[in-house]
Amino acid sequence: DIQMTQSPSSLSASVGDRITITCRASQGIRNDLGWYQQKPGKPPKRLIYAASSLQSGVPSRFSGSGSGTEFTLTITSLQPEDFATYYCLQHMSYPWTFGQGTKVEIK
Amino acid sequence: EVQLVESGGGLVQPGGSLRLSCAASGFTFSDYWMSWVRQAPGKGLEWVANIKPDGREKYYVDSVKGRFTISRDNAKNSLYLQMNSLRAEDTAVYYCVRVGVCSGGICYEVFLYWGQGNLVTVSS
């Protein structure tokens, strides 16, 4: 099974900050990775697909990069609505696996 | 507009069974792989199962193999999850999710559309 190690598990940041979240795969997953944002009581929302492609309608302050085993989600100029939990997902091989999540909180 | 509406959740005793349903609309259901994803209270997301458009291929996370069965009825635009031998650790919100189109081992539009989720509580 492919393990997805996501870090950090939580972070505190201020509006306007730049933040980076990392997911490391236990083996190469090409670019079969997506990033999802979840707010309390809501289903997740896809932000990034194919590791670096921005989902239509998602603000350009979100970006993804990486390939193989190391991937990052970057949010430039954090906005109030960005405080949420973020997950990566690998879908290269079964079982599909999510990272443990990163909770982004207001400092 | 793509819509996925889950039903069938609730309280069940350990060892019991429950069947979740998902009514899909707004797209050609029979063209898409479908999935169930769950989230235990206060925990992260866990992929549970996928099913091919024609229903002939199914994949499961190890923790539910032999207990859960994913199925679909393309004539009714519906996805199902039969859950047997339920355990306390199966307590979670279960999401019906459209996987996308998969070809040659690559899937597109993965988990773009999600239902609102349905709570399953396993407790005596």
Side-chain angles (χ1 to χ4, degrees), chain B residues 19-58:
Chain B
R19 188 198 198 202
L20 300 183
S21 299
C22 171
S25 60
F27 64 102
T28 305
F29 182 71
S30 57
D31 284 347
Y32 289 86
W33 285 71
M34 296 294 296
S35 182
W36 291 98
V37 173
R38 67 183 178 182
Q39 186 170 36
K43 302 297 184 183
L45 300 167
E46 181 181 40
W47 169 81
V48 173
N50 278 7
I51 185 168
K52 194 177 178 180
D54 63 6
R56 293 182 179 181
E57 285 183 42
K58 305 174 185 182

Side-chain angles (χ1 to χ4, degrees), chain A residues 1 30 32 36 38 41-46 49 55 87 89 91-92 94-101, chain B residues 33 37 39 43-47 50 59-62 95 99 105-107 109-112 114-116:
Chain A
D1 296 2
R30 303 178 304 209
D32 292 344
Y36 298 81
Q38 188 180 31
K42 298 293 186 182
K45 171 187 174 183
R46 191 171 83 162
Y49 65 96
Q55 178 62 42
Y87 297 92
L89 165 74
H91 54 88
M92 193 199 79
Y94 289 111
W96 289 6
T97 42
F98 288 92
Q100 301 93 322
Chain B
W33 285 71
V37 173
Q39 186 170 36
K43 302 297 184 183
L45 300 167
E46 181 181 40
W47 169 81
N50 278 7
Y59 300 90
Y60 300 92
V61 68
D62 280 352
Y95 293 101
V99 173
I106 301 174
C107 295
E109 293 190 354
V110 173
F111 288 4
L112 181 55
W114 297 66
Q116 288 301 305

Side-chain angles (χ1 to χ4, degrees), chain A residues 27-104:
Chain A
Q27 58 187 273
I29 58 171
R30 303 178 304 209
N31 67 341
D32 292 344
L33 181 121
W35 288 98
Y36 298 81
Q37 176 195 65
Q38 188 180 31
K39 296 181 179 179
K42 298 293 186 182
K45 171 187 174 183
R46 191 171 83 162
L47 304 175
I48 301 288
Y49 65 96
S52 59
S53 296
L54 187 68
Q55 178 62 42
S56 175
V58 173
S60 59
R61 62 181 180 272
F62 291 92
S63 66
S65 64
S67 183
T69 61
E70 186 149 340
F71 302 86
T72 59
L73 172 70
T74 299
I75 310 174
T76 58
S77 189
L78 203 62
Q79 297 300 300
E81 59 269 28
D82 300 337
F83 292 95
T85 302
Y86 294 84
Y87 297 92
C88 63
L89 165 74
Q90 74 79 19
H91 54 88
M92 193 199 79
S93 69
Y94 289 111
W96 289 6
T97 42
F98 288 92
Q100 301 93 322
T102 296
K103 186 173 185 179
V104 177

